[in-house]
Each structure stands twice: as C-alpha cells, then as structure tokens.
Amino acid sequence: MDGWTSFTMPRAYFDHNATTPPDPAVIEAVTRALGEDFGNASSVHHFGQRAKALLDQARTAVGQLIGAEPAEIVFTSGGTESDNLALRGAAEALEPTGKRHIITNGIEHEAVLNTVKALVKRGWTSTLLPVDATGIVSPAALASAMTRETAIVSVMHANNEIGTIQPIADLAAIAHEHGALVHTDAVQSVGKIPVDVRTLGVDLLTLSAHKFNGPKGAGALWIRRGTRLVSTMTGGKHERNRRGGTENVPGIAGLGVAARLAQGKLSTEAARIAALRDRLEHGILRSVTGTVVNGALTPRVPNTTNISFDGVEAESLLIALDLEGFAVSTGSACSSGTLEPSHVLRAMNLPSHRTQNSIRFSLGAGNSEAQVDALLAALPLVVGKLRTLVRR
Ligand code: PLP
C-alpha cells in the first residue's frame, strides 16, 4: 500500500476502469528495459537476446495469468489493437468459407463496436444482441441469433461502465455448437478476477496492461492454438508472423511484471477491493437519497459500481467531485456541446433520467478505507448543493 499512496494523495482516484497507476515494480521494469535492455529482440547478439529474454518472461507471466501457453500470446499495443486483430484477423481468415455474419451486443467497448461496423462496410452482416436491464446477454438470445452464416461471436467478459460479468462459457458453448469462433474482450476482468481461457471456452481473448497497473500501450491477444488469423499489422515476422513491428520491449516487460503481480495478489486484493466498493456503494445508497445502482450487482467485477443520482447532471457532479479531490467518471461522452447518454445504459433500456446522471466509481490498488469514507462524507453535501442549484 505504501508505494501507492504517493500517487493518489491528497487526491483520491476512483477511476481505475479508465486506467490504473503503474505499480512501482512495473515502473522499475519499464525504466530498466528502456535504458539497459534496449536491444531489438530480433537481433542475434547479446543485446537482442537480453530484450528477447524479457519478452519470453512476459509471455510466460501473461500466459500463467490467463491459463494459456506462452506461444498462444501475441503482444499488441493494447486492448483496442487486440480487439481489431481478433475481429479483423479472424474475419479475413474466415472469408473464404463464405460465412460473413458476426454477432456482438450493444454494451461492448467502441473498440469492438466500431470494428464490427468496419466489417459491415466490407460486406459482413452483423447482429447486435440485446442485453437485459442488468446488462446481461442471454444465452437464449444468442442461440436464436445464430445462423449458418455466423462466423464470429464477440461478447465482452466484464463491462467497463457497470462491471457486469457475462456468462461467457455458456455463450461460447452455443457459438461453438454452430461452428463459430468466439472472442471475448477481457480488458476489464484480467487482473481483477481469475480468468482462465480454457474455463471460458473462447478462442480469442483481449487484455490490456494499463487496466491492471501495467503501462499504457501494451497488451495482448490470446489466440487458441490452431485458430486461423490473418495478421492485420503486416510487416516482419514478429510474434510468429501474427503482428509485424519491432516489439515494445519496455511496455511488454511492464505488462509481464503487472501480470505476475496481479496473479500473486488476485484473491486477497479482489476481496479487499470488493469490501471497499461495497462500503462505498452501501454508504451512498444510505446517505444520498434518489440513488440507484445500475447493472447486475452480481456477477460483477469487485471494483466497479455505477450509480445514478436523481436530479443531478452527471458531468456537474463529476466536476464538483473533482474540485473536492475525488476523480470519478461518467458513462456519458460530452461531444460538441451535447451530453450523450452512455450507450451501455441506453442498451439496458434505462429511462433517460437514469442514463444522464450516472457516475462510475472504479476502485483499485491505491484506494483505502479512509479515502472511501472521505468520499462518503463529501457526496451528500456536493449532491445536495447541485440539487439546490437545479431547483432554483
Ligand atoms: N475494451 C474495454 C472493455 C475497455 O474498457 C478498453 C479501455 O477502456 C478497451 C477495450 C481499450 O483498451 P486500450 O485502452 O488498451 O486500447
């Protein structure tokens, strides 16, 4: 804990689903790799082999974190690239079969949604599965959407806004019965809860280092052995011909250290964070009137709660809390002066007053009970003030 406080005090950071502060051991590994192990991992000489050794260590650590063989891990620049490689790479490999239908759902991250849109532009058809009011994709809905043309099914493991965990193993079994490939974006679950690719039963899994105290710009796609994928980053023979380009050795070394640390403390840290999240959630529901939690309470990643505050505009609450020293986030995106409600909450068919006043609190390694209590002390006053302004 001590290593963390300097990053977060006196401000308290409750936005770990956006990104996390790198662990001090990660910063050390990245710095060392940047300075001392600067070789090109493809070079045969001593410098190159030192860099290659770092990649090998990271590949093993990431593989162990998700129950995969090291050779099945392809390093990328992060979650967005892994989602692109999974969907575009699988689509291109499967096009000769004539199957060109992809199924996903309305609460995916834009990295998946916009990639599916790009596939539609090149002649694919797509189905966006509905989610229920708690944000869950039902296996029955998938079963009825599957057709003989369905080549790929992509459903995220945990949602970034509400934390809800999808029944991936059940969904994957249905997709496989129909001969489709299954991808899951596990950016928000890896490092927070145990993730095992064999238990999930998927073929492709996306992860990103900066969501579990690793550096930005480093991630991986797990590709089940034997899965055909066309490289989307054409270039040299890096990553066994699956992703061209000189590897980001410092970033990948940091990813490896973050993966090892996450695995070592997964159960204890998940329990600690869940207790803090629940303290925060129960405290808000108790002390601030007109509040309701969005999304399934369970199964949910332990660090996330998304709460709507009646009669308060989310953006104003975010700014007011920031002024008090608390960093949170809204599900909404403010674009060209208009406040767009979260596409996730909209897909859950929540009424507009709930989609426009929701705040996401996402906890992580740096958070303490004292920070949660300070936030709980500030919130009723801040919300009360904003509600008075609205009523004027
Ligand atoms: N997928 C999900 C569910 C995410 O939450 C994010 C980041 O917010 C991404 C993908 C994109 O990951 P990256 O920032 O590493 O590109």
Side-chain angles (χ1 to χ4, degrees), residues 105-108 128-138 141 162 166 343-349:
N105 63 89
I107 69 165
E108 292 293 315
L128 276 195
L129 294 176
V131 295
D132 68 16
T134 65
I136 297 286
V137 175
S138 97
I162 52 176
Q166 300 293 344
H343 74 279
V344 173
L345 301 187
R346 254 188 325 188
M348 288 157 62
N349 275 324

Side-chain angles (χ1 to χ4, degrees), residues 101-358:
H101 175 226
I102 181 165
I103 298 180
T104 185
N105 63 89
I107 69 165
E108 292 293 315
H109 190 270
E110 285 85 350
V112 165
L113 290 175
N114 287 332
T115 304
V116 169
K117 278 187 194 156
L119 289 179
V120 168
K121 277 201 184 132
R122 60 184 260 182
W124 281 61
T125 57
S126 70
T127 301
L128 276 195
L129 294 176
V131 295
D132 68 16
T134 65
I136 297 286
V137 175
S138 97
L142 175 63
S144 59
M146 296 293 306
T147 73
R148 289 223 298 265
E149 302 296 308
T150 309
I152 306 170
V153 172
S154 180
V155 178
M156 73 200 317
H157 192 200
N159 182 268
N160 42 308
E161 290 187 26
I162 52 176
T164 307
I165 297 172
Q166 300 293 344
I168 297 296
D170 295 344
L171 297 167
I174 291 165
H176 283 154
E177 266 169 37
H178 293 78
L181 266 187
V182 182
H183 165 248
T184 191
D185 176 337
V187 163
Q188 295 290 349
S189 57
V190 169
K192 292 179 187 160
I193 55 170
V195 172
D196 183 277
V197 289
R198 318 284 167 198
T199 309
L200 291 178
V202 295
D203 305 294
L204 301 156
L205 179 142
T206 291
L207 61 91
S208 176
H210 76 101
K211 305 292 186 178
F212 56 99
N213 308 113
K216 291 164 190 60
L221 179 66
W222 168 75
I223 306 174
R224 180 192 290 281
R225 185 183 284 277
T227 305
R228 279 178 41 238
L229 212 74
V230 173
S231 173
T232 50
M233 189 76 86
T234 46
K237 293 190 171 45
H238 310 89
E239 297 295 297
R240 295 172 185 244
N241 279 327
R242 292 171 298 188
R243 200 263 188 184
T246 301
E247 295 86 353
N248 167 14
V249 177
I252 294 168
L255 164 60
V257 170
R260 201 160 36 71
L261 292 172
Q263 189 167 18
K265 61 180 186 185
L266 208 52
S267 53
T268 49
E269 187 63 358
R272 187 185 80 85
I273 299 290
L276 287 181
R277 189 271 314 271
D278 292 346
R279 184 182 182 92
L280 178 64
E281 187 172 276
H282 297 155
I284 293 174
L285 296 178
R286 213 176 23 241
S287 65
V288 186
T289 55
T291 46
V292 58
V293 177
N294 298 314
L297 295 186
T298 168
R300 185 168 52 148
V301 282
N303 78 321
T304 307
T305 178
N306 185 307
I307 299 183
S308 287
F309 293 79
D310 272 1
V312 178
E313 198 188 58
E315 210 78 2
S316 311
L317 182 50
L318 181 152
I319 291 164
L321 285 175
D322 193 37
L323 291 172
E324 297 290 325
F326 301 100
V328 301
S329 110
T330 68
S332 318
C334 199
S335 61
S336 53
T338 58
L339 198 62
E340 266 190 33
S342 139
H343 74 279
V344 173
L345 301 187
R346 254 188 325 188
M348 288 157 62
N349 275 324
L350 297 186
S352 63
H353 71 270
R354 250 172 91 180
T355 60
Q356 281 176 347
N357 58 15
S358 82

Side-chain angles (χ1 to χ4, degrees), residues 80-98:
T80 302
E81 186 190 331
S82 293
D83 286 345
N84 270 267
L85 174 57
L87 301 183
R88 291 175 195 261
E92 205 174 322
L94 290 167
E95 276 172 9
T97 66

